[in-house]
Every structure is written in structure tokens, then in C-alpha cells.
Amino acid sequence: MSSYVFPIQTAFIIFVIASMFLLVPWLIYGYRKDGFFSWSRFAISFSFVFYLLAAYCLVILPLPTTRNTCAQQAADTVYYNLTPFMFVKDIMRETPIVWSQPSTWINMIKGRAFLQVMFNILLVMPLGVYIRYFWQKRSFWKHALVAGFGLSLFFEVTQLTGLYGFYSCPYRLFDVDDLMMNTSGAVIGFFAAPLLLALFPSRASIQAKSEQIVEQNRVYPVPQLLALLIDGIVVVVITNFLSIFTLSNDIQTVLDTSMAMVIVLFFIPWVRNGYTPGSAILRFRYVDRQSCTPTLPALLKRFIAIYAPWLLLTIIQLVSKYAYPNYQEDALQPYLIWISLGIGTLYFLVYLTLFIHAIVVLFSGGKRSFYFDEVSRIRASRK
């Protein structure tokens, strides 16, 4: 069992690291495609990535301890089996069956050769399930057949080439029976998929919901927060660019960042009809709730509402850094400790308030707005 657990654990670690880089691009793609975030599609898409990683790790792991695998093998070692149905002979040889004695059937099921066959079938079954979800119709079973064979062939070639030549000799067997079982597993998974996919919304229902949201001109809080995150990244890029031409100190960094925020959060949406860089990527804009157009006063209020908390936090940081250089012998030392504690508490409370506010808005189902949109009487619009 440990031979299976270790590869899956390795695949999970790789998956977590990869998800950190894939999450935001996938959210952007999903929203641009559907007009909302389908968490069922998210689960299916990311589980597909994890499945491919897990299947690949199960095929190649554990790795040999040395690249010179030829030295660990006999000179007459055979690295491939091109005779079909050899697994039947293996099963009969390892666990002879007496058809009149059911107990021998159980021994066969527990045997290594039989379990190896079942593993090869189960290894590629999920691929058939995913193909059924992506293509829906039963007539596309040939896609599962071809994809299952292609993925299995890729695995077998990986084994036959010693991980594409990294090892001097193959350390696992190229087996035509594996090709047959893997391909069969993909087809079986394709036809068995409706039993599992009944738990998830169909692609047709997701498309219908997408059309409804577009028609209602609704933009939920998650894409708005994602757009703000993208705007923040653009602010950082512009700040770093401005720092090339300015002095390197904390005050100048604050001025550079302030200039970048003015450009991204006020000037660009003013001249681009309500679109910030982030909202443009996600295909919505910011408009006044009454006039349904981006107005200068509303955009200015929104900018100030976003800029003010950042400026407050920045001032607190600067005060903490420069206001108390060293008062070890000063009589005010006890008071300075309390002042420092108060500033730290204020800093924490501002962050906590913003965090709680974001959580409340995100889980409101679109019934609440972020404070900067509420203050400026702005809403997100897809039109």
C-alpha cells in the first residue's frame, strides 16, 4: 500500500504548489467564459489536474537510487512484453482456480497479478469520466478510447525510455497488456460517468446561469475583489518603474505608490469609461448607480475610499519605524511602550476590520457592496 501512498502524496504536494500559480489565471478565465465563478467547474477542473499528476507519479515513482540502472539489472533483462493477454497466464499461474471451489476465486482476487490488472483499469478510468463531462454525449466514447490509449502509451514510453533517457536502462516494464487495460478503463469510466456526474451541475445548466447573469447585468463580489487584486499588482509594477527615476527612501516610496494608485484607480477609469486594468480583464466597469455612467465625482470618491485606509496603515508603519529611535534611558520610556502598543493595536484593528468586511461582502451573495463602492455610490456593470 505504501507504494501507492507515496506517489499520491508527492502528487498532492506538487498540486498544491501548482495551484498557487494556476488559481488566479483560472478564476480570470472562468469568469470571462461564464460571467460568474462556477465552483463545481472549479472542483472538476482542478481535480483533473490533480488526477493527471497522481497518475503520472504512480507510473514513475518511486525512482531508482542511481541513474545507472543497468548496473542493477541482469544482462538478459527483458524490458517489454508485446504478447497480449499475458496477464491471464500470470493470474492462473499465481492463483490457480478450481471453478467448483468459490474459495479459490477469492484467492485469485487477492492475488498480485489480478490486483495489477485492476490497478491498470482504475488508473485511467477517471480520464473517461472527465471526457464524458467535457463532451457529454455517448457518441463521443471514441474520444475516451483514443485519449485512454494515448495516455497509456505515454506512460509506457516513459517507462521504456527510463524516464526519457535520464536513467541508463528502463526500471519498469513496457507491457502491451497495460495498454489494453488502461484503454479499457478509460472507456468504462466514460460509460459509468453519469453515476458520478449526477452530483454536479451539467454544462448546460452552467451555460443557462451564465446567460441569466449577463442578462441581469450582475457582477458578484468575488470578481470585483479579483479585479482589485489585479489593480494592486499593476500599482506595484508602476511603483517599481517610478522608483527607477526617484530617490530610494521610504517617503519617496509612499509618493511613488500614491502616484501609481492615482493612475490605476482614478485616472485610467476616468479616461477609459470606468474600466480599471483589473475590471477590463474581467469585462466589467464601474458606473454611477443613478446615471449608469462613470462620473468624475463618483470615481474620485471611490479612489479616496480605497486610498485612505492604505495611507493610514502606511503612516502607522512610518511612525512605528521613525518615532522611537532609542529611548532606553529616557523617562518617557514607559509611556512610549504604551503608545507603541496602541499604534500596533490600531494597525491590527484596521486590518481586522477590512478583513471582516471583505468576508461579509463575499458571503452575502451579492446583496452587499464593498465600502468604497457604497461610499461613492458606484456599482459594477457588464454593460
Side-chain angles (χ1 to χ4, degrees):
M1 182 62 68
S2 61
S3 61
Y4 298 120
V5 173
F6 172 69
I8 294 175
Q9 289 177 335
T10 304
F12 180 75
I13 294 173
I14 298 173
F15 170 73
V16 171
I17 297 174
S19 297
M20 296 178 184
F21 298 95
L22 295 175
L23 180 60
V24 172
W26 186 92
L27 290 175
I28 294 173
Y29 166 78
Y31 185 79
R32 287 174 64 90
K33 179 179 175 63
D34 300 322
F36 71 103
F37 294 121
S38 172
W39 299 113
S40 61
R41 178 170 287 183
F42 169 83
I44 291 174
S45 299
F46 272 64
S47 67
F48 180 60
V49 174
F50 173 70
Y51 158 69
L52 291 177
L53 287 171
Y56 186 69
C57 288
L58 283 167
V59 168
I60 68 170
L61 297 179
L63 297 173
T65 56
T66 176
R67 293 185 62 180
N68 186 19
T69 50
C70 292
Q72 298 179 332
Q73 303 167 2
D76 59 347
T77 300
V78 178
Y79 300 112
Y80 53 85
N81 167 43
L82 302 180
T83 305
F85 301 107
M86 281 295 295
F87 69 89
V88 178
K89 295 182 180 179
D90 292 338
I91 292 174
M92 299 303 295
R93 183 179 66 254
E94 293 185 10
T95 53
I97 300 174
V98 179
W99 297 108
S100 60
Q101 298 179 13
S103 60
T104 61
W105 306 353
I106 298 177
N107 291 333
M108 179 196 69
I109 294 174
K110 294 180 179 179
R112 182 203 62 81
F114 181 84
L115 292 176
Q116 183 66 34
V117 171
M118 293 305 300
F119 169 79
N120 285 322
I121 293 175
L122 294 174
L123 180 66
V124 190
M125 271 187 67
L127 180 65
V129 176
Y130 287 113
I131 291 175
R132 183 61 178 270
Y133 174 78
F134 293 135
W135 275 279
Q136 300 289 310
K137 296 181 180 179
R138 289 169 59 92
S139 58
F140 284 97
W141 67 270
K142 295 179 181 178
H143 288 61
L145 179 68
V146 173
F149 178 80
L151 182 62
S152 178
L153 183 61
F154 169 70
F155 289 159
E156 295 303 313
V157 170
T158 300
Q159 295 175 339
L160 182 62
T161 58
L163 203 57
Y164 325 114
F166 183 80
Y167 295 100
S168 57
C169 288
Y171 61 94
R172 290 192 178 183
L173 180 71
F174 178 99
D175 195 338
V176 69
D177 285 343
D178 291 352
L179 283 172
M180 295 166 52
M181 295 302 102
N182 291 159
T183 305
S184 300
V187 176
I188 293 171
F190 181 86
F191 286 107
L195 298 175
L196 178 62
L197 295 180
L199 302 174
F200 297 90
S202 65
R203 296 183 66 189
S205 64
I206 293 176
Q207 181 62 31
K209 184 177 180 180
S210 174
E211 294 173 355
Q212 180 183 13
I213 289 176
V214 172
E215 180 66 25
Q216 295 175 348
N217 191 25
R218 299 186 66 180
V219 181
Y220 285 96
V222 174
Q224 295 183 53
L225 189 61
L226 181 58
L228 189 61
L229 173 62
I230 297 172
D231 291 337
I233 295 174
V234 176
V235 167
V236 172
V237 172
I238 295 177
T239 300
N240 290 333
F241 176 76
L242 293 175
S243 66
I244 299 175
F245 309 97
T246 57
L247 298 175
S248 178
N249 57 66
D250 291 335
I251 301 300
Q252 188 62 54
T253 300
V254 172
L255 295 176
D256 291 343
T257 305
S258 299
M259 179 62 68
M261 293 180 71
V262 170
I263 294 173
V264 173
L265 299 175
F266 176 67
F267 182 74
I268 290 179
W270 179 36
V271 300
R272 291 282 297 165
N273 200 26
Y275 289 99
T276 67
S279 68
I281 291 175
L282 293 171
R283 295 178 176 174
F284 68 85
R285 63 178 182 150
Y286 300 103
V287 298
D288 183 83
R289 294 182 182 180
Q290 292 184 345
S291 64
C292 295
T293 58
T295 63
L296 181 62
L299 293 174
L300 180 59
K301 289 179 182 178
R302 182 178 184 274
F303 163 72
I304 294 174
I306 296 174
Y307 179 72
W310 173 85
L311 183 61
L312 175 61
L313 292 171
T314 301
I315 291 174
I316 293 174
Q317 285 182 317
L318 293 176
V319 170
S320 299
K321 184 175 181 179
Y322 294 108
Y324 316 111
N326 190 354
Y327 291 95
Q328 296 296 328
E329 305 298 333
D330 201 297
L332 296 177
Q333 178 67 20
Y335 302 100
L336 292 175
I337 293 176
W338 285 105
I339 294 174
S340 179
L341 180 62
I343 291 176
T345 302
L346 177 61
Y347 189 84
F348 171 76
L349 289 176
V350 172
Y351 263 116
L352 181 63
T353 302
L354 293 174
F355 175 77
I356 294 176
H357 169 70
I359 294 298
V360 170
V361 173
L362 290 175
F363 286 93
S364 68
K367 297 178 181 178
R368 293 177 178 270
S369 301
F370 290 107
Y371 77 92
F372 40 81
D373 290 336
E374 198 65 40
V375 169
S376 59
R377 306 304 296 170
I378 274 181
R379 66 179 178 86
S381 173
R382 297 177 61 89
K383 298 181 180 179

